[in-house]
Amino acid sequence: MPHQESAGLTALGAVLSPLEGGGPKTEAVVQRLSAAISLGVMADGQQLPSETDLANQLGVSTMTLREALAVLRQQGIVHTKRGRGGGSFIRGSAEVLENTSLVRLQQMSIQELRDLGDEHFAVTGAAAVFAARRGLRADIARLRALADRLKDSTELATARRADSRFHIEMAVCAQSTRLTRAEVALQAELSALLWLPRLKLDPAAEATAHRDLVDAIEREDDGRARELAESHTESRIRRLVALRLELSD
């Protein structure tokens, strides 16, 4: 795919693109909007589009959207003001996000976590391969900047966003719209879980792993890039499964 086509894809556009496939739509909308907040593409205090506009963007009925907003209000992620100047607003405080993510992790089975990890293993490995084969100088510079941003992060929220954006930008670097969308969806599910304080990810160590990956991509060493991406993903999922087991004790 020509690079010019992938350049138009953005994280916000991917998160708020029409839902695809079957399954409960309300749950999918909740996950998409939670993802937008988690990935930092929607900021704390930001007003959501009108119900009609947002429903159209996501390709769902206004009734489905209202049900999803009710769930998000219950979770403390969105609050709604009535009357003039009212609307639905993001409430993405670190405390709310942490509590929501911890509850979600406790509700997931070990098999669900492993399946999620397997999918991330496959998508991230493929993205690394194609990034090494197709990445442009500007793409690689963007990846290095995101690795540096992660290293310099002093708060978990900024580290989580830099980490997520690195993985999404690596898929953009691979010049694959489908891989980019898949990575956005995976980051939406995983990033808040991976950066739970109890998992104790070290931004500096994670940034070193990212820089090693960028070095392999820049050398066009697709085999090494895949190996690094897959081992990095596998290691994180192992830690997440261990935390899930600890929570069930």
Side-chain angles (χ1 to χ4, degrees):
M1 176 181 295
H3 179 60
Q4 288 76 5
E5 288 185 33
S6 64
L9 188 65
T10 65
L12 180 60
V15 169
L16 297 183
S17 61
L19 299 173
E20 296 175 350
K25 295 292 186 188
T26 300
E27 187 179 327
V29 172
V30 169
Q31 201 169 75
R32 283 284 188 89
L33 294 181
S34 299
I37 300 163
S38 173
L39 296 175
V41 293
M42 281 186 167
D44 191 16
Q46 182 177 338
Q47 184 172 9
L48 291 172
S50 70
E51 288 184 351
T52 303
D53 288 346
L54 192 51
N56 286 337
Q57 278 182 273
L58 294 167
V60 298
S61 68
T62 51
M63 181 61 72
T64 297
L65 181 69
R66 284 172 187 159
E67 290 172 356
L69 290 176
V71 173
L72 291 167
R73 275 194 294 273
Q74 195 174 27
Q75 293 178 348
I77 294 174
V78 162
H79 72 109
T80 301
K81 290 195 295 186
R82 305 295 177 191
R84 190 172 183 180
S88 291
F89 298 82
I90 299 298
R91 182 184 281 166
S93 73
E95 185 181 359
V96 168
L97 188 61
E98 180 185 338
N99 290 338
T100 304
S101 301
L102 202 53
V103 169
R104 181 164 167 265
L105 180 60
Q106 288 173 306
Q107 291 173 338
M108 293 180 77
S109 68
I110 297 298
Q111 186 57 47
E112 284 175 318
L113 265 182
R114 285 180 176 151
D115 280 347
L116 187 58
D118 289 349
E119 185 179 357
H120 197 217
F121 181 89
V123 170
T124 303
V129 167
F130 291 117
R133 293 178 185 175
R134 303 169 179 167
L136 304 177
R137 192 174 302 169
D139 299 325
I140 293 165
R142 205 162 51 244
L143 289 176
R144 287 201 185 285
L146 284 165
D148 289 343
R149 190 187 301 174
L150 176 58
K151 177 179 67 70
D152 296 335
S153 296
T154 55
E155 296 179 355
L156 284 182
T158 53
R160 186 187 71 245
R161 289 170 185 165
D163 179 50
S164 294
R165 295 303 284 264
F166 177 89
H167 285 277
I168 293 167
E169 290 296 340
M170 187 167 69
V172 171
C173 187
Q175 301 184 34
S176 167
T177 301
R178 284 182 177 273
L179 282 176
T180 301
R181 285 181 176 151
E183 191 61 58
V184 167
L186 285 163
Q187 289 301 318
E189 288 196 75
L190 274 171
S191 69
L193 300 178
L194 288 170
W195 286 93
L196 277 167
R198 292 179 64 168
L199 211 60
K200 297 179 181 175
L201 285 189
D202 177 8
E206 299 301 309
T208 297
H210 285 188
R211 282 200 298 269
D212 290 345
L213 182 50
V214 179
D215 287 345
I217 289 171
E218 189 167 34
R219 292 195 307 271
E220 301 181 14
D221 186 345
D222 56 4
R224 180 62 176 158
R226 179 194 286 276
E227 182 184 351
L228 289 169
E230 289 178 345
S231 63
H232 186 51
T233 301
E234 201 168 26
S235 166
R236 289 172 153 199
I237 292 298
R238 274 203 302 270
R239 293 176 68 167
L240 195 55
V241 168
L243 175 59
R244 173 63 185 82
L245 289 169
E246 184 183 319
L247 291 172
S248 62
D249 287 343

